[in-house]
Each structure stands twice: as C-alpha cells, then as structure tokens.
Amino acid sequence: MSFAFKILTTGDRAVAVEFGAAIDEKINARVHLLARFFAGERPCPGIVDIVPTYRSLSLIFDPFVLSKKELCGLIETYIAANRDMFAEASFTRVSHTVKIPVCYGGEFGPDLAAVALHSGLSEDEVVNIHSAVKYKVYMLGFLPGFPYLGGLDERIACPRLKTPRTNVPAGSVGIAASQTGVYPVDSPGGWQLIGRTPQRIFDKNRGKPFMVQPGDMIEFVPVGKEEYNRLLAETAVKKC
Amino acid sequence: MLKVLNPGFFATIQDLGRTGFLAFGVPQAGALDDYACRAANLLAGNDENAPLLELTMFGGEYEFCADTLIALAGADMAAELDGAPLGNWSSRRVKKGQKLALSFAGSGCRAYLAVAGGFKIAKTMGSCSTHTRSGIGGMEGRPLRKGDLLPMAESAGGQEKNLPGELKPTAVPPLLRVLPGPQADAFSGDVFAVLESEEYLIEADSDRMGYRLRGPSLKHKAGADIISDALISGGVQAPGSGQPIIMLNDCQTTGGYTKLCFVVSPDLPLLAQCRPGDRIKFRAVTEEESLLALEEYKGRLARLREFAKEKTPARLWRLTVSSKRYDIEIEEVYK
C-alpha cells in the first residue's frame, strides 16, 4: 500500500506532518507511528512537544536548539527508512476497551429529547444506538484527556446548540455533528448533552490522570440513576 | 509567604509553561510575555522558568511575610512599596511586613512579580503554570484570591538592579510579523493583502486563550472548518465570520478552524501586552525574515542574561578641588 505525507510550516517553532485529509484509521495509524518515534525518548535535542491528531502530527521545537531544516530532514529520513511500516500501519492497542458507564437522559442528558426529535427516533432508540457501538479514540485534545472518537452512527448525528452553555459539568456525554465525546472538566460547551458518566476521564490527582489514550476503544454502558450514584460514591472514595 | 491582600483584576502563578502533555490535551499555559517573565526572574536572581505572578490590568496588593528580593517587569502598574514608588523592570529588597501595591497599568496589560527563589508551589505535570479552564497548576488551578498565602523561599537578598533602557521593550503599537500557515490557500483572493490592509481591534472577550479581533473580513473559499488538528499560541485562525482569532498560551490543544498564519514567537510578548480596545497590524514575512527575528530575540535574551550576571557597575564621579581633578568611584555595598 502506498502513502503520501507532506511537512507543513506552522510558525517559527512548529511543523505539521500531514498524512492525508480524512478521518481514516490508516492515516491516523501513521500519525501515531510517527508520534511514537518522537515521544518519550526524544530522537534529538530541541523537540519540545508533540500533538498527534486525526491526520497530522505537529512537532513543536526550540528554534534556538534545533532548526526547522534539521527537523524536516530528520522526519523525512525516518519515514523513508521505514516506508513499509508506515504503509502497513495499523494502530489499535489490543484489548484496550474502556467501558464508560453513562446515565442517559433526565437531568444528566437535558438534550436527549432534542436529539431524538432531530433524528426522528425515540429517546430509548437514541440511547441504544449510542451505546451499541465501540468507538475508536483517534486523538486527545481540546481539554485535558478529551477523546476525539470515531464511529458515531449517523442516524443520531445532531448539530451543536445554537447558544453554547456557559457551564457543562465534567462527565457530560454529548453529541456534536458526527462526533460524540465526554467532557473531562467543567467547561463552557455547545454539545447536545445526552447523559453523564460518574467516572472522571481526567483526574490530575490520579496516578494515571488520563483514562483513555489514542488507539483505545470506548464503549458506553447505560446505567440507572442508582448505579450512577453508587459509582459516583466509589469514585469519590478512591480519590481520598 | 506572600499574603494576597487584593488579587487585582486577574492574578495567576505562571512559569514558562507546561511541555510534554499537549498530546493528552493539556494546554501549555505559562507566562504570556515570555520576555518580561524571563526578565523578572533574572532580576530576582532566579532561573528564568521559576514560578512568578502574572498580574493583569490591575495589580492589587500583597504583603511580604519574610525578607526577600522582588523584581517587577512587564506592564507598568505604578508599583508602591509602603507608599514609596518602586521602579518597573527592576529588583528591590523588601522587609517582612512591607506591602506592595500595584495600580492600573498605564500602558501594557500584564505585569510580572518575581520573588527570589520563586514561589514554592508543587508542579502539576512538570510545571507550576496555572491553566484555569483545566483547574491545574498554581493555586489549586485558579486565579489568586484575597487571603491566599503563597509559600516562598526566604532570601537574605541579592543585588538590586535596574534594567537599562535598551533592554526594555519599547512601547509602540505592535506590528505583528506573521508566517503563512498551512491553510492559507483555503482563503479567497489575496488574503494577506486584506490582512495587512488595516488595523484590527482587539475585542473585549479576549483572554489568555486568545484574542478575538475585529477588522477586514478574511473570506474563505469553501467554509471555515477543517478536520481538527493542533493549535499553538500565535496561530491565527478564522472561523466562518472571517474575523480572526489569535491563539494564546491557554488555547485548547486542537481545533477545527482554518489557520491562515502564525505570529512569529519574538512578537508574542508585544501581543501579550495589548489589551482589549488596542489596535494591531499584521505584516506577512518570509521564512528568512522569521529566522532573522528569532536571531534578534536570541541576542536580546543573551544580553538580558549577561546583564543579570553583572554586578551593578560602580558610579564614577569627577570632583575638582582647588583646580585639581579627582576621579571617584562609588559602589553600592550591601550587607
């Protein structure tokens, strides 16, 4: 299988290596393959940070230590030396399925009715469709630990709210266009909220602050309010 | 300890920012004015990355619960120590019980207050920088409140210094140099001619995440949305309205609007001192020009470090007594 990439200039201290212009598992796998090369043990001094996204890897560098030219050379050499690996790239962290309990509707999902109305389905059908799929984590971004997921059933896709809420509680599960996701922290937001999880996908005080990582699969498991409250209490105890 | 008597308009603890966690969606945060942050820390005898206070528009009032050396840099907020004026871009020794009051910024937007040894704040993910939206860093991830006690090292002193004029940034309305970005071709017509044509006004709803601008509209060929990818400070993106937004240190790590260009890093400190209502202009530059700008900034930082290492030079006096000339050297000596 062949593949293409281009290195784009994004200011005087960053470049982006773009592997395509689509949300696609192969393209995303190449992004994370290159990310692994630059993550952890840095291959050279001057790499400050990396941002793997759906279809590109941004590399932020210290221009006083490493020149853009040197960095571009390093990227090209690495990809050229590993062409077969990049061509065949696949990226699923085997057996990393994260189950996220969600209490749908009611006070936790104030927009479930609106999503149902927009889809021409009942609320139960929306919940069934939303919780039937395993979603792939393509990238983290936006806010700490927020997973960008692929795989939302188009039947329940729904536009963002016209006027965003000034505060969406952490744990809220929402839909925006063809995306679904979980709010990691309290934040303003315009997603249609259909439920809430008692689990914290980001907790700075936890040994592992981020619950999911790119390559993981996420499954939403419907729970009732009692179960939600029991799990919430458990989460609170664990924190102490 | 530093006691917060009044945190002013918006005060947070910052350092040079958080690195290594963008891949997890954790923004870089950090002092918006890189130069003033480094200057304040160097004047206080600190590492350039030491945690300090970033004060916005109105500084507030603070009491020192121990002797130390402090330094101020960035926007001039007419600082007074127990009522006596205190110079900006300088360091002064303070005594336990003394109070520092900072008023409204006469010009500029952000002032930096460093204490010798830095504030003793636990790092979160490698940095003390506060990111309020994530609730991490600094004081419990939030702006300072009245009554907060900030732990700091007790310091016998160090040398008081005044930064020479040539190392202070000049207060001119900023002309921001920009490098074209990856989605420049998503805009119609000669978009850089439009961008450079007039001034842009910084809107009121601007903060550490980004500056919203109002000015000539940047027209897209076919929509403003792209597949979400990385956002970094200095990035200039344009949503459907065509009104640009300049991303700053607290910006989310990824976003889905077309990015027209990127402000070159050496101009970001100038931008950080702009406030809502100020006007800015853009000028597109080439890769070569951006490298020259970096070299120039590197040179300024080198001179700043050099100055911080120097002992305060002795002052020379020339006395003439009975038509005989004497050259006298006067050196300030501290115990």
Side-chain angles (χ1 to χ4, degrees), chain A residues 80-117:
Chain A
N82 297 282
R83 282 206 77 83
D84 292 348
M85 197 166 72
F86 275 92
E88 300 305 323
S90 73
F91 187 64
T92 300
R93 293 177 359 123
V94 184
S95 77
H96 270 267
T97 295
V98 181
K99 289 185 193 250
I100 297 184
V102 179
C103 183
Y104 287 96
E107 57 177 307
F108 297 146
D111 304 322
L112 181 60
V115 174
L117 192 67

Side-chain angles (χ1 to χ4, degrees), chain A residues 12-13 49 68 142 145 148 204, chain B residues 20 24 135 233 254 265 287:
Chain A
D12 57 5
R13 57 188 176 93
D49 217 336
K68 195 183 282 179
F142 172 51
Y148 282 79
K204 65 177 176 182
Chain B
F24 299 97
S233 65
T254 54
S265 323
E287 192 71 33

Side-chain angles (χ1 to χ4, degrees), chain A residues 171-220:
Chain A
S172 294
V173 176
I175 289 176
S178 301
Q179 283 183 291
T180 184
V182 186
Y183 280 82
V185 293
D186 290 358
S187 129
W191 291 39
Q192 305 270 4
L193 307 182
I194 59 170
R196 197 184 300 171
T197 175
Q199 295 190 342
R200 290 289 158 266
I201 61 163
F202 167 68
D203 184 347
K204 65 177 176 182
N205 298 319
R206 207 161 49 198
K208 284 183 176 174
F210 312 100
M211 187 186 278
V212 295
Q213 292 196 30
D216 286 347
M217 303 297 286
I218 281 187
E219 212 180 318
F220 294 109

Side-chain angles (χ1 to χ4, degrees), chain B residues 55-126:
Chain B
L55 311 171
T56 314
M57 293 299 292
F58 176 70
E61 199 179 359
Y62 305 86
E63 183 182 334
F64 298 94
C65 307
D67 294 357
T68 187
L69 178 81
I70 64 165
L72 285 170
D76 192 340
M77 295 184 180
E80 289 185 351
L81 189 66
D82 284 344
L86 193 65
N88 197 22
W89 300 100
S90 68
S91 54
R92 286 291 173 270
R93 268 163 313 162
V94 298
K95 291 276 175 212
K96 181 180 173 181
Q98 284 196 297
K99 287 177 188 161
L100 175 71
L102 298 109
S103 179
F104 284 98
S107 66
C109 185
R110 285 161 237 277
Y112 294 86
L113 168 63
V115 296
F119 292 103
K120 298 295 171 203
I121 299 283
K123 289 182 177 177
T124 307
M125 293 177 231

